[in-house]
Amino acid sequence: MAEILPIKAWRYSTGLNSQIEELSSPLFDVVSPKQREALYKNPHNSIHLSVPKGPNPAQQAKFTLESWKSNGVIQQDRIPGIYVYYQYFRLPGQEREMCRKGFIINIKAYDWDEKIILRHENTIAKAVNDRIELLKETGFQSSPTHGLYTDPEHVLEKYMDQAITDPLYDIEDYQGVREKLGVIHDARIISEFIHTLREKKIILADGHHRYEGALSYRKEMMANNPSHNGNEAYNYHMMYLTNAETKDLRILPTHRVFQNLNLSEEEILSRLEKDFIIKTLNDPQEIEELILHKQWAFGLIFTEAAYKIRLKPEKFVEFTHDLPDAVKNLDLSILHFFFIERILGIPMEEQRFSDQIDYERNLSRCHLKISKGEADFAVITKEISMKEVMRVCESGSVMPQKSTYFYPKALSGLIFGSILQEDFEFPYELFEKNVNTISSL
């Protein structure tokens, strides 16, 4: 079902290999303003392509890209490959080092109704529009989106393990994560990847905004090209694929931070009493542990006080939106309907456009934003499980925006993907012949 191809990647020139840690950057939607300003000081950091500055950022990125190409800052690999990408990490309180194994390829940007690539969460409209403009101007992707496939037999892992023994890069990133990138050029092995993924559906784990941008761009290009045959460069999209059957997949929570609502703490608490059980907390730093094992429970933090709030079970019948049970029962759906819509007055269909809601993964930064007056209050959430993600994908519906934070995040700048036709050209049928040979064995 899923059509993939090896990728003719652009990479920083070999003379810059020793500087890759300084040239890579966090993804556009997780890089903080402070990080951005530090990264912008390096004229060759990938932030200039992923989050360009200036009054017309997309055009600035195009100018930067053309300059980098002409000056040899980045160079394109002569032949396509499958880029093996391993991330080694530890979570707080855990001694065992984990490793998320995957590989970066080109995948066709399927429309949602084709049900080959499955989404699980809504998007923020402005972020999608920014990605579309950037893709239109540059035809470049500075980071892969993240997809999940299911392979209980782990048939591809032996090839990945072999490739990663001779990495192109082996660095420590801004998250403290060890990042290793290798490449597979063997046509027969590449064909086995193509053959294995052909029978799979893909769950889009991370990168809904970038993927929607690629999908929108593909549709526009198809409409402008009457002789479209499906093999043009603009049909494809760079994605990092990992096996959903691995034990080292981690999903972290993303908290909700609110500003400019003109609601006092007293008024919010008063409105909450009808639908929620409210408990005052002595130590706000313990919120995450206190809500962990309770369904429909959240932390609520203000400047001088913190509370645990939990929806009264009998109130669930008042959830009036027509959603499948897989979505309706989620903590975050409860939060977005009973709290954000009913208490704060922001309708669910408008929340993805709202500039009164921000998203923050780090609990300490939530406290800091509130103490500095950058936010009025925050709601602390729990992580979503992989089983819940799967059930939502199967339902055909979506969670609220920013429901999942797959950790660790992929980096921008390790490789770049181009959907410009002159960069894409290659006799990919060579791999198809190998696929047919494998299939007949």
Side-chain angles (χ1 to χ4, degrees), residues 190-430:
I190 290 173
S191 297
E192 185 153 354
F193 276 75
I194 293 172
H195 175 68
T196 300
L197 269 295
R198 180 165 290 175
E199 304 303 318
K200 309 293 184 182
K201 291 186 178 183
I202 306 298
I203 294 173
L204 187 58
D206 190 33
H208 285 68
H209 300 94
R210 285 168 288 155
Y211 187 82
E212 283 201 7
L215 183 56
S216 176
Y217 181 73
R218 182 192 183 200
K219 288 179 178 179
E220 181 178 328
M221 294 296 288
M222 287 169 62
N224 295 334
N225 182 8
S227 58
H228 168 86
N229 62 24
N231 296 319
E232 298 87 355
Y234 58 72
N235 290 287
Y236 291 89
H237 171 76
M238 185 170 68
M239 186 175 284
Y240 165 49
L241 292 176
T242 57
N243 188 353
E245 298 291 334
T246 181
K247 63 180 181 297
D248 285 351
L249 269 179
R250 290 294 180 273
I251 306 174
L252 304 182
T254 301
H255 312 305
R256 274 56 178 154
V257 182
F258 299 88
Q259 57 270 324
N260 304 320
L261 284 166
N262 297 317
L263 287 171
S264 68
E265 179 180 336
E266 292 72 20
E267 188 171 0
I268 290 172
L269 291 174
S270 176
R271 293 184 183 187
L272 278 168
E273 288 178 348
K274 178 183 176 184
D275 295 336
F276 287 83
I277 302 164
I278 306 170
K279 181 179 179 181
T280 303
L281 300 180
N282 295 321
D283 187 354
Q285 296 297 332
E286 295 181 351
I287 283 180
E288 290 177 308
E289 289 78 13
L290 293 171
I291 66 174
L292 185 59
H293 300 293
K294 296 292 185 181
Q295 186 183 31
W296 305 337
F298 312 93
L300 177 60
I301 55 177
F302 294 92
T303 306
E304 300 292 340
Y307 306 88
K308 174 183 173 181
I309 61 173
R310 186 184 181 199
L311 184 74
K312 297 174 181 177
E314 65 271 18
K315 291 291 183 177
F316 180 73
V317 296
E318 298 179 20
F319 198 155
T320 55
H321 285 269
D322 184 19
L323 295 169
D325 289 344
V327 178
K328 215 168 189 178
N329 283 288
L330 293 172
D331 282 359
L332 283 173
S333 297
I334 295 297
L335 173 66
H336 279 255
F337 175 69
F338 283 96
F339 184 80
I340 301 179
E341 179 170 303
R342 288 179 61 156
I343 305 297
L344 302 184
I346 308 173
M348 286 184 75
E349 60 270 16
E350 296 178 14
Q351 290 169 15
R352 60 189 290 254
F353 303 97
S354 177
D355 59 4
Q356 295 172 303
I357 310 171
D358 205 354
Y359 304 87
E360 175 57 64
R361 186 186 65 81
N362 187 283
L363 176 60
S364 296
R365 282 200 291 270
C366 289
H367 285 288
L368 182 62
K369 287 180 178 180
I370 295 167
S371 67
K372 292 173 66 176
E374 297 174 0
D376 300 332
F377 61 93
V379 176
I380 307 307
T381 66
K382 300 190 294 292
E383 65 189 48
I384 299 288
S385 72
M386 193 62 226
K387 287 183 179 179
E388 288 174 315
V389 172
M390 299 283 280
R391 284 197 291 264
V392 171
C393 288
E394 290 165 1
S395 77
S397 188
V398 293
M399 303 177 188
Q401 59 278 5
K402 295 291 182 182
S403 291
T404 57
Y405 188 103
F406 282 83
Y407 183 84
K409 292 287 187 179
L411 278 184
S412 289
L414 292 183
I415 68 173
F416 302 93
S418 174
I419 53 171
L420 300 174
Q421 193 62 37
E422 62 268 25
D423 293 341
F424 187 78
E425 297 290 349
F426 191 83
Y428 295 102
E429 62 273 10
L430 295 175

Side-chain angles (χ1 to χ4, degrees), residues 110-160:
Y110 294 96
D111 205 344
W112 302 123
D113 58 14
E114 295 180 79
K115 299 188 184 305
I116 295 174
I117 292 181
L118 309 175
R119 57 181 168 175
H120 70 268
E121 69 178 21
N122 221 326
T123 54
I124 301 169
K126 182 182 183 301
V128 174
N129 294 335
D130 288 347
R131 296 303 101 184
I132 293 171
E133 290 304 312
L134 200 54
L135 202 55
K136 282 182 179 179
E137 287 292 338
T138 65
F140 240 56
Q141 298 164 272
S142 59
S143 62
T145 54
H146 180 196
L148 304 172
Y149 66 98
T150 301
D151 175 21
E153 303 301 320
H154 300 268
V155 297
L156 302 176
E157 193 166 314
K158 59 186 177 185
Y159 303 118
M160 294 191 284

Side-chain angles (χ1 to χ4, degrees), residues 23-150:
L23 299 175
S24 57
S25 62
L27 296 180
F28 85 100
D29 57 346
V30 297
V31 62
S32 69
K34 190 173 182 179
Q35 283 176 314
R36 290 184 196 184
E37 291 310 312
L39 296 172
Y40 285 139
K41 294 176 182 177
N42 186 327
H44 296 147
N45 188 281
S46 58
I47 194 79
H48 295 287
L49 296 184
S50 60
V51 194
K53 294 177 70 173
N56 195 324
Q59 287 189 2
Q60 180 59 45
K62 182 180 180 180
F63 173 80
T64 299
L65 178 60
E66 290 172 349
S67 171
W68 286 7
K69 284 182 175 181
S70 62
N71 294 326
V73 175
I74 59 173
Q75 299 172 338
Q76 189 176 28
D77 289 349
R78 187 174 55 86
I79 58 175
I82 288 177
Y83 288 81
V84 178
Y85 185 25
Y86 281 16
Q87 294 174 291
Y88 303 83
F89 63 100
R90 286 185 174 89
L91 292 176
Q94 294 186 349
E95 293 184 5
R96 183 178 73 87
E97 182 181 64
M98 291 176 277
C99 177
R100 190 173 68 188
K101 301 180 178 183
F103 53 92
I104 301 171
I105 42 78
N106 269 327
I107 189 167
K108 192 156 281 187
Y110 294 96
D111 205 344
W112 302 123
D113 58 14
E114 295 180 79
K115 299 188 184 305
I116 295 174
I117 292 181
L118 309 175
R119 57 181 168 175
H120 70 268
E121 69 178 21
N122 221 326
T123 54
I124 301 169
K126 182 182 183 301
V128 174
N129 294 335
D130 288 347
R131 296 303 101 184
I132 293 171
E133 290 304 312
L134 200 54
L135 202 55
K136 282 182 179 179
E137 287 292 338
T138 65
F140 240 56
Q141 298 164 272
S142 59
S143 62
T145 54
H146 180 196
L148 304 172
Y149 66 98
T150 301

